[in-house]
Amino acid sequence: MRPPVKGVCQVWQARVDICDPAADLPAEDAAHVASMMTERAKREAYASRWITRCVLAFYLGCPPLAVRIERGSLSSQLGVSMRPVLAGGLLDFNVTNSSERVLVAVVGYGRIGVDSEPRKRACGFEDMAPHICTAQELIRLSMMAPAARGTALLRLFCRKEAVLKLAGHGLFIDPTLLDVSGSLAVMSIPIDGWPGEPIHIRDLGHDIFGALASTHKLHAVEMLDAECLVRDFGDGRSAGSRPSR
């Protein structure tokens, strides 16, 4: 399958419990899963790594175990930069997962970042505002009805996470330095390694609470079913039958 055309992001989604850990992950992925502290966290980490491999294998026409993903390297300036990239640069992708669902966002041009959170997390989340928001974002939140602040703050958090994941910095960068209230991300101070091009922000719809960040403005987001890929690839030793979307 060809990567998405310019301005289109394809977001593949699958439930965490669709994955039966039947395939042997590559050593790096297996070590990541093993490092998780609880069985639930291990299950989520396995699903995230395996579903990502199935999605990328679909584009590459190869078995999931043959997909080569590079995970980045340590940075003395930032502490860590672990943005995963596909070896060969055919496309760019980013992943987010929760206890219930994994999302894999894919673009054929530029960079992509994605984040999603369970809506239920909004309850009581407004206490985190001073640790997340810029001064202007705090003012806007204060003008909202109290009942709406938690949801609005969680949406801001998703936007910031998506932008910081695109940049490869994650929450090693103080989110209060980043304004995401508009359609473009605005960083208040120079950051080493920050993308030189504008970062566009788009909220996810389709009943998913989350956001996308991209270095090319998106005019379309296609939501696709990754569960059919997981079933088709089985234990990952074959290239599958190239399931339809």
Side-chain angles (χ1 to χ4, degrees), residues 146-163:
R149 290 174 190 164
T151 299
L153 180 60
L154 188 60
R155 191 173 298 282
L156 281 174
F157 180 75
C158 287
R159 287 174 148 237
K160 295 192 183 214
E161 274 269 52
V163 170

Side-chain angles (χ1 to χ4, degrees), residues 1-243:
M1 179 179 176
R2 293 181 179 177
V5 299
K6 189 174 181 179
V8 174
C9 178
Q10 294 178 332
V11 180
W12 297 81
Q13 59 177 320
R15 291 169 291 129
V16 166
D17 62 10
I18 195 67
C19 290
D20 178 11
D24 294 327
L25 289 172
E28 182 183 11
D29 288 352
H32 171 73
V33 173
S35 70
M36 299 295 105
M37 299 299 293
T38 66
E39 287 304 312
R40 177 177 176 178
K42 291 181 192 297
R43 197 162 54 246
E44 292 171 14
Y46 179 92
S48 179
R49 294 293 175 106
W50 185 242
I51 291 166
T52 298
R53 286 187 167 275
C54 289
V55 168
L56 297 179
F58 179 51
Y59 290 98
L60 299 176
C62 68
L65 293 175
V67 174
R68 292 177 53 227
I69 299 172
E70 298 172 352
R71 296 280 171 185
S73 59
L74 295 177
S75 166
S76 59
Q77 290 82 18
L78 299 171
V80 66
S81 178
M82 297 297 289
R83 187 177 192 275
V85 296
L86 181 65
L90 174 68
L91 50 80
D92 193 60
F93 74 97
N94 203 239
V95 186
T96 183
N97 65 280
S98 66
S99 59
E100 299 176 352
R101 176 163 45 189
V102 174
L103 300 181
V104 184
V106 178
V107 291
Y109 294 82
R111 290 191 191 181
I112 193 70
V114 63
D115 188 61
S116 68
E117 300 289 339
R119 288 179 183 269
K120 62 185 179 182
R121 193 179 177 192
C123 182
F125 196 65
E126 59 270 22
D127 293 341
M128 293 295 296
H131 307 289
I132 294 172
C133 295
T134 65
Q136 290 300 314
E137 289 169 342
L138 284 172
I139 291 172
R140 294 187 191 100
L141 280 174
S142 69
M143 297 172 67
M144 296 180 181
R149 290 174 190 164
T151 299
L153 180 60
L154 188 60
R155 191 173 298 282
L156 281 174
F157 180 75
C158 287
R159 287 174 148 237
K160 295 192 183 214
E161 274 269 52
V163 170
L164 293 173
K165 287 171 70 178
L166 177 152
H169 301 347
L171 290 177
F172 286 95
I173 298 297
D174 183 351
T176 65
L177 301 174
L178 176 64
D179 191 297
V180 295
S181 56
S183 60
L184 292 174
V186 179
M187 180 61 74
S188 62
I189 63 172
I191 297 292
D192 184 51
W194 194 257
E197 59 265 72
I199 299 178
H200 303 266
I201 308 170
R202 178 176 177 141
D203 293 324
L204 280 169
H206 306 276
D207 299 321
I208 297 175
F209 199 93
L212 293 167
S214 60
T215 52
H216 285 286
K217 185 176 182 180
L218 299 176
H219 59 77
V221 176
E222 300 176 359
M223 304 301 299
L224 305 173
D225 177 20
E227 296 188 9
C228 63
L229 302 182
V230 174
R231 288 189 291 266
D232 187 72
F233 283 119
D235 66 1
R237 301 185 186 281
S238 68
S241 60
R242 307 282 291 180

